[in-house]
Structure formats: structure tokens, C-alpha cells
Amino acid sequence: MGTQNDNTTAASQFRDAFPVSFLIHQLEQKLSAQGRALIARHSDLTLPQWRIIRVVGLGVAEGSTALRKVLGFDKSQFSKTVNQLQARGLVSLSTHPRDGRQFCLSLTEAGRETLHRLAPVVDARNAFLMQALSEDERNVIRTMLLKLTRAAEVSELPDGLDT
């Protein structure tokens, strides 16, 4: 039993030495794997397909470029995934009203049905994840993540930090 505690302590100390960016990367990998498994149990969508349906359903981005950036997809992945969703009849595309280089996505009736069927499952998973945090931690995590996201968007570090 002592060896297990020693190993747990050593692993914890090792993790404490990781930079925050590495810990976030590990978390993202685990969350994506869990998300893929959850979506696969409840539909035949891929995780990127689900993410597009969810974000389009939330109406948080106007136009394909804004949507792609919100999702963090590269152009190729976004285009391929949108084409798959369109072929399945889950989204429809229309010309962007102010920028002819872009398009607007909307959910079809089948897309809305998919959203309404899967959203409660994904929301329950989010609630489960948030239970791992104290109430105080839940109150600050979004603010902290948004601040880290903004800091990660800086391409040139202030003088002295990139040495």
C-alpha cells in the first residue's frame, strides 16, 4: 500500500512541474476522447460534426469564417465537415448577405432534431464535469479560460519573455 501512495505522490509532483499549456493539452485530449465516445453512443456523427451543429444551433457566429474561428477548425477540416453535414441533410448553406466569399449555415429540420436529441446528453456530461469543481471554482473557470485564450492569441510575446 505504501508503494501505491509513493507512486501517487510522485505522479502528482511530476504533474505539478508541467506547464499550464501542457496540462490544458492533456485535458483537451481527454475531453475530446470522452466527447467522441459519448457522441458515438448516441448518434453516428463525428465530434467535429456535432460541434458544428451545436455552434450553429447556438447562433453565436454569423458567416462561415466567424463560425470556423469560433470552433478553432482549419479551413480544410471545416470545409470537409460542412460538406458532410450538408450531404446528410443536417445543414443548409446560403450566400452571406455582405461578403460573397463566405456562406451562412443553418440547421435543417433534421439538423434541429439532431441538436435537440443530443444537446441534453452533452449538457449532462458538462454538468458531470463541473461537479468535479467546487462552487467557487465553477464561478471562476470560464473567466480564467477566456483570459488564457486571449493570452494564447498573442503571437509576439513582450520583450524578455521569449528568451
Side-chain angles (χ1 to χ4, degrees):
M1 186 70 165
T3 303
Q4 183 177 4
N5 286 342
D6 291 343
N7 289 341
T8 301
T9 300
S12 177
Q13 290 171 342
F14 186 65
R15 277 191 302 273
D16 290 346
F18 288 154
V20 169
S21 60
F22 185 78
L23 295 172
I24 291 171
H25 169 74
Q26 285 186 316
L27 175 61
E28 191 279 329
Q29 294 294 310
K30 291 176 183 184
L31 289 173
S32 289
Q34 185 185 59
R36 283 189 300 274
L38 182 66
I39 296 301
R41 276 197 302 275
H42 295 278
S43 75
D44 62 349
L45 293 175
T46 65
L47 187 56
Q49 290 170 341
W50 162 249
R51 287 179 173 161
I52 289 176
I53 287 173
R54 183 64 179 248
V55 173
V56 170
L58 291 171
V60 298
E62 181 184 313
S64 52
T65 301
L67 179 61
R68 182 181 60 77
K69 288 181 178 182
V70 165
L71 289 162
F73 288 9
D74 64 44
K75 290 179 183 181
S76 175
Q77 178 189 24
F78 182 71
S79 177
K80 176 183 172 187
T81 307
V82 167
N83 289 338
Q84 292 167 343
L85 290 170
Q86 187 179 26
R88 293 182 60 174
L90 298 172
V91 299
S92 61
L93 280 63
S94 60
T95 304
H96 191 281
R98 291 178 304 284
D99 185 347
R101 298 168 296 173
Q102 294 189 60
F103 55 88
C104 293
L105 276 85
S106 57
L107 297 178
T108 63
E109 183 60 34
R112 285 188 295 280
E113 289 172 8
T114 300
L115 174 66
H116 294 303
R117 183 172 43 85
L118 289 177
V121 173
V122 175
D123 291 345
R125 174 210 184 204
N126 188 64
F128 170 77
L129 291 169
M130 296 304 282
Q131 288 176 359
L133 304 174
S134 71
E135 184 177 349
D136 288 342
E137 290 167 331
R138 286 191 298 269
N139 290 333
V140 299
I141 191 166
R142 287 185 187 275
T143 300
M144 292 169 45
L145 290 173
L146 289 171
K147 285 180 178 181
L148 286 171
T149 299
R150 282 192 297 275
E153 291 171 349
V154 173
S155 59
E156 301 236 359
L157 296 178
D159 288 343
L161 292 180
D162 60 351
T163 57

